[in-house]
């Protein structure tokens, strides 16, 4: 993969990590039992799973270099 593609993958991973962190920050101000907190927790899991997928792609791409 080209350096540009790797940079794009890293950017997306960082964006998703930041999104998950912002959601965690928002969740801290919520009641743990509220439906909104459950929704935010689901969004956090999804964003983190996507970021982890990008991390694996980056790792594989770097191995191929």
């Amino acid at each position: 993969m080209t350096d540009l593609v790797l940079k794009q993958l890293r950017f997306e991973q960082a964006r998703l990590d930041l999104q998950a962190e912002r959601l965690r920050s928002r969740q801290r101000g919520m009641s743990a039992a509220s439906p909104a907190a459950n929704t935010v927790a689901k969004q956090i899991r999804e964003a983190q799973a996507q970021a982890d997928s990008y991390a694996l792609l980056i790792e594989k791409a770097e191995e191929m270099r």
Side-chain angles (χ1 to χ4, degrees):
M1 289 191 178
T2 66
D3 287 338
L4 178 60
V5 173
L6 280 172
K7 286 179 183 179
Q8 288 173 327
L9 290 172
R10 287 186 188 110
F11 175 81
E12 282 301 314
Q13 180 193 13
R15 186 186 66 76
L16 289 163
D17 281 335
L18 178 61
Q19 179 182 355
E21 189 55 40
R22 285 181 175 160
L23 288 166
R24 282 186 201 97
S25 177
R26 189 169 125 199
Q27 186 184 36
R28 285 184 202 106
M30 297 179 168
S31 169
S34 73
N38 291 334
T39 300
V40 170
K42 181 180 176 186
Q43 291 171 336
I44 291 168
R45 286 191 302 272
E46 290 171 353
Q48 196 60 60
Q50 289 177 356
D52 292 345
S53 294
Y54 274 99
L56 288 173
L57 283 172
I58 292 165
E59 186 178 317
K60 297 278 185 194
E62 288 175 342
E63 289 174 1
M64 293 173 47
R65 290 177 89 190

